[in-house]
Structure formats: C-alpha cells, structure tokens
Amino acid sequence: MEACDETIKELSSIYDEESMDTFVSLYFDGKDNKFIYRREEAVMAILKGEELENFLKTMEEIKRFLGKKFAGNVAIFASHKHGYLKVVDIPVKTKNALIVDSSPYIRPLAELTDTWESFTLVLLNTNHARIFSVSCSRIAEKKRLSAYIMNKHKKGGWSQARFQRLRKGSIHAFFVEVMEELEKYASENIIIAGPGQAKHEFKSILPKRLQEKVVDIIDVDIEDEHGLFKESMAVMAEKEMEEKRDTMQYLKKEILRDGLGVCGVDEVVEASRNGQIELLLIEKGYKLRGWICENCQAVGKGTAKDCPYCHGKTSEVDVIEEIIEFAERTDAKVEFISSDEIKNLGHVVALLRYK
Ligand SMILES: [Zn+2]
C-alpha cells in the first residue's frame, strides 16, 4: 500500500467522538501568512469555551511547526485535545484553506494524491543502474549499482568472438544483479529507462511476474534524471486516466444491468454508510452542501435543523467530504474524474462489494 493511501486512511478514521470542533486542517502554500491570521480571526469570533481554548493551543502548535521549517506547500492536521499533529508535504501548489471541524478535512488531499500512483523506476545502461521508488510523487533512490564491463572494442590478443562472449557474459551477470535488487523494491508498476538497447535486454531477462508489471520503457540519457522523472510521471498519469475511463465504462454497464453500480448522492451516501463501497468515483471539484447528525452520523443533502431519524443536533458539511470519509474508513478506493458522464450520473458513482 502506498504511503499516501495510509495517511488518508489514518486521517479518515479519526474524529472527535463528542462531535466538537476540535480538528484544524490547514492547507498552506507557505507564502500567504495573512491568510492564516484572517482565518484565525474568523474562527476565534465563532468558537467559545473549550473549543476556543483548544483551537488557540492547536494553532500555537501548528505555527510552532511552520516557524521551524521553511514551508513549501503543506497540509497539516492537528488537534491539541487529541494530541494529534500530522504533516503532509505536498509537491504541487495547494489552495490555502483552514478548516475547523470534528474530523480532519481530507478532501483536497485525496484529490491531490489521486493521480500519484506509486511506481518503481529502473534507470540503466550496460554497467550502471539506479533504482528509484516513487510514491506520493516523492522520489527516493533505493539502490545504485555498477559493474566493470569491458570496453566495446577488443584489446589485446583475444579473438573477437571470445571477447564478445566475455563481454556479454559480464553484462548479463550485471543485469541479474540489478534484477535481484529490483525484486526487493518492485511495486505494482515498473518503468525501465536508459539509453540504447540495455533497457530492452534487461526487460527480457526479467521473470514473467516482473515483466507483467512493466508499464513503459523510456529512452533517456543516463544522466537525465530530471527529464526521466517528468516523463515517467506523465506515463503514470496517462495510465491512470485510461484506467479511470475503463472503470467508468464498467460502472455504466453495472448500472445499466442493475448490478453492482450505483450513482447519485443519495444512493452513494447510503452505500458508503453501510461500508458497501469497493470503489468510489467522484467528479473533480464537486461539492454539495448538506448536514450530518452529530448523534447518529446520518448525512443528507440541503439543510436540516435536526436529524429526521433521531432528532439529534446537525451541523453543516460538504456531503461529498462525508462520503469520502466513510468510504476511506472501509478501505474503498477513491478516485476523481472530470467528465460530462459523471456529471450526468449525479456527480458520484460507486462500485459495490455486495448488494
Ligand atoms: Zn440522527
């Protein structure tokens, strides 16, 4: 499982059991400090008593953290009351937001990380290899290998044939060594890259189970890491898009034959509360004003002064955020897509585990 997914799952599983506004979620570009002060003022004008006290202490902790570190784009989820502070570095520009609620606000993070499927990258030629692990759009070098391989052109007294045989043998031995390392780090997706023929030869010696994971082979200079990272991210994004289009087609069929597909907010809310969702597809950027019952956790569209089921106190929420949280808690895969299809299907579509 990816680090991103784990983080989101952890965040989705925590909430204040007394339904108090104790969690601060801050998405911050690291620049506009005025934004934080402005939101602080607004929140301080609304909260009272214990909640206000907790907010002030939580903000102190957040600011202490921000002061320590040169902040780029970051998401911080914190609650003094729960002794909780989680920081997620975000490699792309984020929209500033400071939200106070009874649980962490994970929607923007879920949308951002949706396109970052993890993969393993092998950059190699005949005598150098580097293995990278890319997760949450962060790149980590796992291993660097090199071997002494004889020059392409023979020297000394060996016959050409003997020389070529030896050279081939030592390249093969080097590839086997790289493969053994790759086995340790390989994720579900592998990209092989490098100049010339080496990358193709390397792929051909991989066992079938690894070959099947190879998403693409990229021709690139051995020194051009930067270009390679860029290109491989694009390859993965394209793969992701294709998979989403396939998923959408599959879901449409399931809905048509009244199978395991459901669409529209009401049905999807119901399914998410029952833990039935295997996969959730959401229209990118779509929000829907609604309410949640602080007593029985029922969720509905529009406004409700008190809960129609138990008459408990309600608070205003984004229904889509609640669906995401329910789904994440039960291990569903959550994805975002922009298309007219999903709009027409009521902005949210889900594949059920059972019916
Ligand atoms: Zn209720």
Side-chain angles (χ1 to χ4, degrees), residues 6-14 77 84 86 104 106 109:
E6 272 169 33
T7 304
I8 291 176
K9 211 182 140 202
E10 176 188 314
L11 289 166
S12 71
S13 68
I14 52 177
F77 306 91
Y84 191 82
K86 179 107 195 165
I106 60 170
L109 187 65

Side-chain angles (χ1 to χ4, degrees), residues 4-162:
C4 276
D5 290 348
E6 272 169 33
T7 304
I8 291 176
K9 211 182 140 202
E10 176 188 314
L11 289 166
S12 71
S13 68
I14 52 177
Y15 50 91
D16 191 309
E17 290 188 352
E18 292 153 50
S19 275
M20 292 176 67
D21 290 328
T22 50
F23 279 92
V24 177
S25 305
L26 173 69
Y27 291 83
F28 188 49
D29 62 10
K31 291 186 191 108
D32 185 9
N33 280 311
K34 274 193 206 136
F35 161 81
I36 296 184
Y37 292 115
R38 219 167 41 235
R39 286 293 298 148
E40 249 182 328
E41 294 285 310
V43 173
M44 277 157 58
I46 294 166
L47 294 182
K48 291 189 189 77
E50 205 186 311
E51 285 180 333
L52 176 61
E53 201 179 305
N54 175 69
F55 174 72
L56 294 174
K57 284 189 176 145
T58 306
M59 285 310 295
E60 238 172 69
E61 284 161 22
I62 290 176
K63 282 190 269 184
R64 200 176 309 137
F65 175 82
L66 286 175
K68 251 195 285 182
K69 172 182 176 277
F70 169 76
N73 289 287
V74 77
I76 302 177
F77 306 91
S79 168
H80 174 78
K81 181 184 168 192
H82 295 84
Y84 191 82
L85 185 103
K86 179 107 195 165
V87 180
V88 183
D89 283 309
I90 296 177
V92 293
K93 191 163 167 27
T94 49
K95 209 175 139 205
N96 288 336
L98 189 155
I99 284 110
V100 184
D101 204 347
S102 55
S103 63
Y105 180 59
I106 60 170
R107 165 74 177 276
L109 187 65
E111 265 195 43
L112 281 167
T113 57
D114 175 45
T115 46
W116 304 335
E117 206 175 331
S118 62
F119 61 97
T120 311
L121 196 55
V122 186
L123 173 61
L124 88 169
N125 60 16
T126 49
N127 57 335
H128 292 287
R130 299 170 75 184
I131 300 173
F132 303 91
S133 205
V134 187
S135 173
C136 245
S137 102
R138 238 179 287 174
I139 298 153
E141 181 164 2
K142 292 292 186 190
K143 193 80 193 176
R144 197 187 269 255
L145 298 125
S146 48
Y148 171 73
I149 308 284
M150 289 159 267
N151 211 310
K152 229 175 195 150
H153 304 287
K154 89 178 180 96
K155 289 186 199 115
W158 289 338
S159 75
Q160 183 65 28
R162 175 172 152 78

Side-chain angles (χ1 to χ4, degrees), residues 291-298 306-314:
W291 54 268
I292 186 167
C293 171
E294 292 177 3
N295 181 42
C296 74
Q297 306 268 302
D306 44 37
C307 174
Y309 308 105
C310 75
H311 303 291
K313 202 180 144 216
T314 61

Side-chain angles (χ1 to χ4, degrees), residues 319-336:
V319 179
I320 307 301
E321 164 81 11
E322 297 305 317
I323 294 175
I324 296 171
E325 285 182 23
F326 282 135
E328 290 278 1
R329 273 176 220 160
T330 54
D331 278 331
K333 196 164 186 237
V334 180
E335 302 201 326
F336 299 85

Side-chain angles (χ1 to χ4, degrees), residues 91-320:
V92 293
K93 191 163 167 27
T94 49
K95 209 175 139 205
N96 288 336
L98 189 155
I99 284 110
V100 184
D101 204 347
S102 55
S103 63
Y105 180 59
I106 60 170
R107 165 74 177 276
L109 187 65
E111 265 195 43
L112 281 167
T113 57
D114 175 45
T115 46
W116 304 335
E117 206 175 331
S118 62
F119 61 97
T120 311
L121 196 55
V122 186
L123 173 61
L124 88 169
N125 60 16
T126 49
N127 57 335
H128 292 287
R130 299 170 75 184
I131 300 173
F132 303 91
S133 205
V134 187
S135 173
C136 245
S137 102
R138 238 179 287 174
I139 298 153
E141 181 164 2
K142 292 292 186 190
K143 193 80 193 176
R144 197 187 269 255
L145 298 125
S146 48
Y148 171 73
I149 308 284
M150 289 159 267
N151 211 310
K152 229 175 195 150
H153 304 287
K154 89 178 180 96
K155 289 186 199 115
W158 289 338
S159 75
Q160 183 65 28
R162 175 172 152 78
F163 174 79
Q164 284 306 337
R165 217 166 40 242
L166 283 170
R167 183 179 140 79
K168 265 197 168 159
S170 48
I171 291 173
H172 182 80
F174 176 61
F175 284 172
V176 169
E177 199 187 323
V178 177
M179 177 195 75
E180 281 165 4
E181 286 300 322
L182 177 62
E183 292 226 64
K184 291 185 204 163
Y185 303 108
S187 62
E188 276 313 294
N189 304 293
I190 299 171
I191 293 177
I192 304 173
Q197 278 302 308
K199 53 189 177 295
H200 300 288
E201 281 162 25
F202 177 69
K203 188 191 170 190
S204 72
I205 70 143
L206 294 179
K208 201 159 174 253
R209 64 176 186 285
L210 286 181
Q211 276 193 19
E212 281 166 353
K213 293 177 177 174
V214 176
V215 180
D216 204 358
I217 295 182
I218 298 176
D219 191 59
V220 67
D221 193 276
I222 197 89
E223 308 284 337
D224 186 16
E225 281 168 47
H226 189 73
L228 173 61
F229 294 147
K230 243 178 106 177
E231 197 172 338
S232 48
M233 301 273 186
V235 165
M236 291 304 294
E238 180 52 38
K239 180 180 177 255
E240 185 96 351
M241 259 330 284
E242 242 169 67
E243 282 171 2
K244 276 181 198 174
R245 282 191 287 263
D246 290 349
T247 306
M248 195 68 210
Q249 288 315 312
Y250 181 72
L251 274 163
K252 272 163 53 184
K253 268 189 199 147
E254 286 294 307
I255 292 166
L256 271 182
R257 66 173 194 87
D258 202 12
L260 291 171
V262 289
C263 61
V265 171
D266 294 331
E267 279 194 64
V268 174
V269 165
E270 178 82 26
S272 70
R273 293 205 57 205
N274 295 339
Q276 278 170 288
I277 297 185
E278 170 84 35
L279 187 142
L280 181 62
L281 213 52
I282 296 170
E283 182 188 341
K284 225 176 211 165
Y286 180 72
K287 283 184 184 178
L288 180 65
R289 189 175 170 193
W291 54 268
I292 186 167
C293 171
E294 292 177 3
N295 181 42
C296 74
Q297 306 268 302
V299 171
K301 292 188 283 196
T303 51
K305 219 170 161 238
D306 44 37
C307 174
Y309 308 105
C310 75
H311 303 291
K313 202 180 144 216
T314 61
S315 50
E316 199 184 309
V317 288
D318 169 15
V319 179
I320 307 301

